[in-house]
Amino acid sequence: MGILTQGYLLQGLLIFALSAVVIAPLLLWLARWRPAILESQRRRERLNDQSMRILSSAVEQSQSGIIIADCAGVIDYVNPRYTQITGYSKEDAVGRVAELLNNEELTDVNNISLQEALQLGASWNTFMVSKRRNGEHFWQQVTVSPINDDLGALSHIVLNIEDISDRVETQAQMEKLAFYDPLTGLENRRLFRDRLEQGLKHLRRSKKSMALLFLDLDQFKRINDTLGHDAGDELLCTVAQRLRDCVREEDIVARLGGDEFTILLADITSADDAGLVARKILRSLLEPVTLSTQEVTVSGSIGITVAPEDSMNASVLMRNADLAMYRAKDQGRNNFQYFTDDMNIESLARMSLENELRIAVANQDFVVHFQPQVDMARGRICGYEALVRWRHEQVDVISPDRFIPVAEETGLIIKVGEIVLRQACLQLKALQATGISDQTVAVNLSARQFRDHKLVQMVRRVLAETGLAPQWLELEITESMLMDNIDQAISILSDLKALGVAIAIDDFGTGYSSLSYLTQLPVDKLKVDRSFVSNLPDSPRHTAITTAIIAMAQRLNLQVVAEGVETEPQASFLTGHQCHILQGFLFCRPVSAADLPEHMLRMERRFSPGRDAGAAVLTH
Ligand code: C2E
Ligand code: MG
Ligand code: MG
C-alpha cells in the first residue's frame, strides 16, 4: 500500500468519525423532532384554511361591494353587498367584463388612469356616478387594487365599491343650505357676497364696470299680513323668477332675506345699462300675480351702485345700494335711484337722529302742543289737536315731520305715541278740572301704532290711568292707513270705538277713498286736508274737492273739520259751505299747555267781544 493509499484511508476514517460525531446526533435529533415538525406543518395548513375561510367570509359579509376579476377584467366573484348596491346578482355579473376596467378615459383624483395604476401595481380611487340594475343613478366611491402572482405579474383585480349617494346628497343639501335660499332657490347673502368679491377681483383686471342693484318690494308686509305667509312665500318665488328672467344667465340674483333681493350685473359698459335692467325689473314686477284666488300687484324700489366708479369695496357697495334703495322709497316707491355721495351724509345724519331719538324716548323729552279747533256755529273752542314736539338740547324743538318717520321705522313710535296720549289726556283732565266740560282732545296715530296689536289695550290703560272719560278722546288716523287693509282696519276701528273713543280721518282727500268703503268704516269725523284749504276759495279744483268732501260727510252723517285755515276768506268759504269746525293759524297756532289758557282767553274775546272772556272759557 503506497503512501497515497494510506492517505485516502486516513481521510475516509476521519470523515467517518466526523459523521459519527456530527451527523448522527443531527439525524437522531431530526428523528426525535420529526412528528413535531409535521404537526407544525399541519397546523400551518390548518391556519391557512382557517384564514382563507375568515377572509372569504369577511369578503362575503363586507359592507363594501366587492368584485374580483381576473387580469383580463372578467369577473370571477361578487359579494352579496355588491348585489345589494347594484341590483346585479352573482349570476348576472360573473363571467362578464367589469365595465369600469374597460373605461380608458377614467382618471382618479391624481389624474392617473386606471390602466397606468394597474401597470404600476398601485391602487386607484375615484368617485363616479353609476347606474343600478333598475336604472337608478347612484354615487359610488371605487377603489381598484391589483393582485400580483409570485412572479409579480398581474393575476387579479379587486374592486371595492361604496354607495355614497346619501353622503353626496347630504353634502349637496348642506351646501345648498349654506349658500342658497331654501324658499326661492336663489343664492343667499353669503354666496352673493363671495360672488361680489370675486367680481371685484375680476374687475381689477378688466376695463368693464359692474353694477349692484338692491331691490326691496313695496308694501310686502301688507300682503303677508293680509293674505298670509303662504301667499307671501308664493309671491317671493314669483318675484325671484321674474328677476331671473330680467337678467342674463351670467348675472347673479340673490335673496338676502325677507323681501330684499340683490342683483349683480357683472359686465356692463356704463351705468346706464343698470338703469335699463332696473326699468325692466320694475315693469315686470307690476304684472299682476294671482295668489291662491286673489290677484295682487306689487312694485319695488331699487338702489343702484356701480363699481369701480362708486367703490371697489364689497361692504361699501352693499351699503351704497341699500342707501340708494331707501332714496327710491322716499321718492314714492316703484322707481330706481343711483347712489350719490350725499346719501352717505344723509344716512349719517339719520343715524345720529335715530340714536338721539332713543335717548329722547328714554328721557321722555317730548312735549305736546295743543291747537284749538273752533266751532264757528257756536263761536267757541270745541276741542284741541295734540301735536308732539321733541325738545332737543341743541336744536331746541324738532318738528314731528322730521322725527315721526324715523320713530315709525325704528318702532320707537309705540313709546312716543303712548307718551303723547298720556300728556294729552292729562291736559284735558286738567282743563276739565277748571270747569270745561265740552271740549275734546284729538291724538294722531301713526300707521305702525295703528297696526300694533296692543293699541286698544294701551288706549284703555291710559284712559284708566289718567281718569279721562273716553268720549272726550278722539283718535286721528290717515286714509292710507285704512286703505292698507280695509277688513283689518274695520276690526281695529270697531275695537277702538267699543272703548267709547271717537275716530277722525286725517288729511282726508289725499288718499284713495271711495264712498263705498267710507260707509263701512266706523268713523265719526273727516278732516279736510290743509292742501285743499290753502287754495280756497280761488282754485276751482280745490273748491270742488272741498265742497264734495263736505257734502259726502253730511250724507254719511259725519262731522267735518277743515284744518290749516289761515285766512278769513278760507274761513268764510268753509262756513258758507256748511263746514263749521275749523282749525288753523287764523285762530291759533299749536301752543304749549302752559300757554294754552292765555290763548283760550284771547280767542274767547274774539268770538264774544262783549263777554267776560275768562268766565266764558271756564263755564263751558
Ligand atoms: P296733522 O295731523 O295733519 O297736523 C296738522 C299739522 O298742520 C300740524 O303740524 C300743525 O301745526 C299744522 N297746521 C295747523 N294749522 C296750520 C295752518 O293754518 N297752516 C299750516 N301751514 N299748518 C298748520 P305739525 O305739528 O308739524 O305736525 C305735522 C304732522 O306730524 C301732523 O300732521 C301729524 O301727521 C304728525 N304728528 C304730529 N304730532 C303727532 C303725534 O303725536 N303722533 C303722530 N303719530 N303723528 C303726529
Ligand atoms: Mg292730525
Ligand atoms: Mg292733517
Side-chain angles (χ1 to χ4, degrees):
M1 205 167 19
I3 289 187
L4 203 64
T5 325
Q6 271 181 10
Y8 280 129
L9 196 70
L10 209 67
Q11 219 173 18
L13 272 172
L14 204 66
I15 289 168
F16 178 78
L18 245 168
S19 312
V21 174
V22 179
I23 299 171
L26 193 71
L27 288 173
L28 268 175
W29 180 85
L30 269 174
R32 217 171 118 211
W33 284 100
R34 193 163 181 271
I37 290 166
L38 285 177
E39 178 55 24
S40 139
Q41 225 167 26
R42 270 198 299 270
R43 213 174 54 222
R44 224 174 301 132
E45 275 163 20
R46 266 204 316 274
L47 270 176
N48 266 347
D49 283 353
Q50 199 183 1
S51 65
M52 279 310 283
R53 267 201 316 278
I54 292 172
L55 274 177
S56 71
S57 109
V59 170
E60 279 279 301
Q61 288 168 33
S62 168
Q63 281 312 296
S64 309
I66 291 173
I67 305 174
I68 301 176
D70 65 15
C71 59
V74 178
I75 299 176
D76 279 346
Y77 167 87
V78 293
N79 73 346
R81 177 69 185 141
Y82 166 85
T83 305
Q84 236 177 28
I85 295 174
T86 62
Y88 291 108
S89 67
K90 242 184 193 119
E91 293 70 34
D92 292 331
V94 172
R96 300 179 66 165
V97 174
E99 258 177 53
L100 178 84
L101 301 177
N102 263 354
N103 190 334
E104 296 195 347
E105 279 162 20
L106 267 182
T107 54
D108 71 355
V109 278
N110 300 318
N111 213 16
I112 293 175
S113 78
L114 179 55
Q115 316 307 328
E116 280 174 299
L118 291 177
Q119 271 162 24
L120 291 168
S123 307
W124 184 87
N125 195 323
T126 197
F127 298 91
M128 58 190 289
V129 177
S130 189
K131 225 186 207 175
R132 302 190 214 273
R133 192 172 197 229
N134 62 8
E136 186 186 63
H137 286 96
F138 72 104
W139 270 96
Q140 59 177 358
Q141 180 178 4
V142 187
T143 311
V144 181
S145 315
I147 298 184
N148 294 343
D149 62 17
D150 294 344
L151 298 172
L154 181 69
S155 80
H156 285 87
I157 303 166
V158 178
L159 290 92
N160 194 304
I161 293 171
E162 304 269 358
D163 182 351
I164 54 162
S165 304
D166 287 350
R167 224 194 303 160
V168 171
E169 177 79 0
T170 325
Q171 198 174 340
Q173 251 162 14
M174 270 162 55
E175 254 171 43
K176 230 180 153 122
L177 277 182
F179 296 113
Y180 292 88
D181 166 38
L183 176 68
T184 59
L186 293 180
E187 300 191 356
N188 67 8
R189 183 188 290 271
R190 203 165 134 196
L191 186 55
F192 183 79
R193 183 62 197 235
D194 276 0
R195 303 261 202 236
L196 179 59
E197 308 260 10
Q198 277 168 25
L200 288 170
K201 262 190 214 144
H202 181 72
L203 203 63
R204 283 195 185 97
R205 281 178 263 125
S206 74
K207 283 212 157 66
K208 297 267 184 176
S209 289
M210 192 168 86
L212 171 59
L213 277 67
F214 197 115
L215 163 82
D216 188 282
L217 296 181
D218 301 329
Q219 318 261 344
F220 174 71
K221 196 176 169 305
R222 203 185 79 199
I223 293 173
N224 229 7
D225 291 347
T226 349
L227 302 178
H229 287 262
D230 287 347
D233 285 355
E234 212 180 316
L235 177 66
L236 290 173
C237 291
T238 309
V239 168
Q241 189 51 51
R242 288 186 186 177
L243 293 180
R244 273 254 58 108
D245 293 345
C246 285
V247 298
R248 291 174 306 183
E249 190 72 34
E250 61 269 30
D251 295 331
I252 291 155
V253 182
R255 177 173 169 237
L256 302 191
D259 59 341
E260 289 178 349
F261 296 86
T262 42
I263 296 139
L264 190 66
L265 306 176
D267 189 2
I268 55 167
T269 34
S270 79
D272 293 343
D273 291 355
L276 289 178
V277 175
R279 212 166 271 131
K280 192 167 161 195
I281 291 173
L282 292 175
R283 237 192 344 258
S284 101
L285 288 179
L286 286 176
E287 293 279 318
V289 191
T290 309
L291 303 173
S292 47
T293 54
Q294 193 113 357
E295 194 173 84
V296 298
T297 312
V298 274
S299 58
S301 302
I302 300 176
I304 305 175
T305 189
V306 181
E309 288 82 348
D310 293 339
S311 170
M312 278 297 275
N313 176 299
S315 303
V316 174
L317 287 168
M318 290 289 272
R319 206 190 55 218
N320 286 355
D322 189 44
L323 287 175
M325 185 276 291
Y326 272 107
R327 174 68 62 88
K329 288 244 183 241
D330 286 346
Q331 299 289 313
R333 306 185 175 124
N334 189 29
N335 74 106
F336 68 89
Q337 296 290 325
Y338 286 101
F339 168 78
T340 51
D341 279 333
D342 65 302
M343 291 179 188
N344 269 330
I345 299 158
E346 200 177 274
S347 107
L348 274 177
R350 218 201 103 102
M351 241 162 61
S352 74
L353 192 75
E354 204 176 302
N355 289 337
E356 288 184 46
L357 190 60
R358 278 181 208 286
I359 299 167
V361 169
N363 296 341
Q364 304 227 357
D365 285 338
F366 300 97
V367 277
V368 176
H369 282 192
F370 296 87
Q371 185 176 35
Q373 294 173 334
V374 183
D375 180 344
M376 298 299 280
R378 298 196 300 155
R380 45 165 90 140
I381 295 172
C382 58
Y384 308 89
E385 178 172 4
L387 295 156
V388 68
R389 302 287 179 260
W390 174 2
R391 233 177 6 201
H392 193 278
E393 269 184 2
Q394 283 122 41
V395 193
D396 194 19
V397 168
I398 301 179
S399 101
D401 280 334
R402 241 194 100 199
F403 74 84
I404 294 279
V406 182
E408 267 276 298
E409 250 173 60
T410 50
L412 288 166
I413 190 69
I414 304 290
K415 287 190 177 140
V416 177
E418 185 170 340
I419 296 171
V420 175
L421 182 67
R422 182 167 285 108
Q423 284 195 31
C425 292
L426 283 173
Q427 178 58 28
L428 196 69
K429 229 4 224 180
L431 282 178
Q432 286 178 348
T434 65
I436 290 169
S437 61
D438 60 354
Q439 296 178 353
T440 54
V441 68
V443 175
N444 293 282
L445 291 184
S446 75
R448 183 129 175 196
Q449 271 179 291
F450 187 62
R451 302 275 171 219
D452 180 26
H453 64 279
K454 289 193 180 142
L455 171 69
V456 179
Q457 197 182 318
M458 185 277 280
V459 175
R460 186 189 295 120
R461 193 181 63 240
V462 172
L463 284 171
E465 280 169 15
T466 57
L468 183 72
Q471 74 260 33
W472 305 117
L473 177 65
E474 195 173 278
L475 297 173
E476 290 190 7
I477 48 173
T478 61
E479 265 183 293
S480 51
M481 279 153 62
L482 298 170
M483 287 308 291
D484 273 357
N485 178 352
I486 291 273
D487 292 335
Q488 195 191 16
I490 291 176
S491 140
I492 300 170
L493 289 180
S494 309
D495 291 348
L496 287 171
K497 290 277 305 172
L499 289 179
V501 303
I503 308 287
I505 304 187
D506 203 358
D507 305 342
F508 193 80
T510 55
Y512 318 86
S513 321
S514 72
L515 202 66
S516 67
Y517 96 78
L518 253 187
T519 56
Q520 303 171 40
L521 292 171
V523 296
D524 306 274
K525 211 183 235 182
L526 301 184
K527 290 187 81 176
V528 184
D529 189 62
R530 64 174 185 270
S531 59
F532 306 126
V533 175
S534 65
N535 290 304
L536 295 179
D538 304 326
S539 153
R541 207 172 103 79
H542 291 113
T543 50
I545 294 174
T546 307
T547 48
I549 294 173
I550 298 168
M552 188 192 292
Q554 278 167 348
R555 222 166 304 142
L556 293 173
N557 222 4
L558 302 176
Q559 280 191 309
V560 58
V561 183
E563 62 180 0
V565 182
E566 291 182 353
T567 64
E568 287 290 354
Q570 288 167 357
S572 53
F573 177 89
L574 289 158
T575 49
H577 287 84
Q578 308 306 310
C579 173
H580 297 293
I581 306 177
L582 308 182
Q583 174 188 344
F585 295 171
L586 175 66
F587 309 103
C588 189
R589 287 182 173 265
V591 291
S592 69
D595 292 342
L596 197 56
E598 180 202 325
H599 286 274
M600 285 160 69
L601 276 174
R602 193 179 49 75
M603 286 175 69
E604 291 294 339
R605 269 196 212 106
R606 175 173 165 179
F607 291 125
S608 322
R611 240 170 38 198
D612 176 352
V617 171
L618 294 176
T619 51
H620 267 287

